[in-house]
Amino acid sequence: AQKVTQAQTEISVVEKEDVTLDCVYETRDTTYYLFWYKQPPSGELVFLIRRNSFDEQNEISGRYSWNFQKSTSSFNFTITASQVVDSAVYFCALSDPYSGAGSYQLTFGKGTKLSVIP
Amino acid sequence: KAGVTQTPRYLIKTRGQQVTLSCSPISGHRSVSWYQQTPGQGLQFLFEYFSETQRNKGNFPGRFSGRQFSNSRSEMNVSTLELGDSALYLCASSRSETGHNEQFFGPGTRLTVL
């Protein structure tokens, strides 16, 4: 069974601090995809990144960076120089291929609530 | 390009009633998925439709059903509502025919069952 664990339930940081959100996953599949989504108070999930299991290169997008380590089944997310607008709940998710139908579903972690204090 | 839209945004029902939620995907997206979000269980997959066919279903009772129309719009229905059905229902659309394209989510419908 697929499983995603986000051990940090809530994190508070002061503005301009760096913060890392942890994500550990379990899967028996050799081909899979990992995602990060942001959920601001408005409720809509905002897509941040998708990474496939064969690409272990770290990725940087502005103040955001992601560290994918297959050896430890982790896909951590770092925000550099955090801002108040980064306050949200962040979800890590794993694609769960449904065999034979071309479909897939996302298995989400419980989320990490990030509060950035001015 | 317009995003995923969901109607209504808020809904209040009483136990035993039924409810229909609507989702319009991003133009050109043919896959629509539904998720339930509750404080206790988090985000859970309900079902996925592609070209009017349900391709995948999560572990929910038969009271939860859905359908997709030829224009890719989707509806989900919950019959005989229970208090535990109170949740944020999120719809997501994707270009995906196969594979793992990113899913784009709508703002959700917040259902309260009294």
Side-chain angles (χ1 to χ4, degrees), chain A:
Chain A
Q2 318 283 323
K3 186 178 179 182
V4 176
T5 302
Q6 295 180 254
Q8 305 149 308
T9 305
E10 291 193 43
I11 300 176
S12 289
V13 298
V14 177
E15 202 171 19
K16 297 183 182 172
E17 285 185 344
D18 299 347
V19 58
T20 295
L21 309 182
D22 297 333
C23 172
V24 174
Y25 62 92
E26 295 176 29
T27 179
R28 288 180 294 181
D29 297 301
T30 54
T31 302
Y32 53 88
Y33 283 72
L34 294 160
F35 302 79
W36 275 94
Y37 282 88
K38 172 182 179 180
Q39 188 175 42
S42 61
E44 185 168 340
L45 282 167
V46 177
F47 167 78
L48 295 177
I49 190 173
R50 177 189 63 162
R51 174 54 51 87
N52 75 55
S53 54
F54 297 107
D55 181 3
E56 289 193 69
Q57 274 193 321
N58 291 334
E59 180 153 344
I60 298 174
S61 176
R63 297 184 297 107
Y64 295 170
S65 63
W66 290 270
N67 183 357
F68 176 31
Q69 291 198 340
K70 213 168 173 179
S71 60
T72 56
S73 297
S74 65
F75 186 42
N76 297 337
F77 172 32
T78 297
I79 302 174
T80 303
S82 59
Q83 299 176 0
V84 172
V85 293
D86 296 327
S87 297
V89 181
Y90 291 86
F91 291 93
C92 180
L94 170 68
S95 66
D96 181 356
Y98 179 71
S99 61
S103 173
Y104 75 98
Q105 65 193 60
L106 293 175
T107 298
F108 285 89
K110 293 293 189 185
T112 297
K113 182 178 181 180
L114 174 65
S115 298
V116 181
I117 304 163

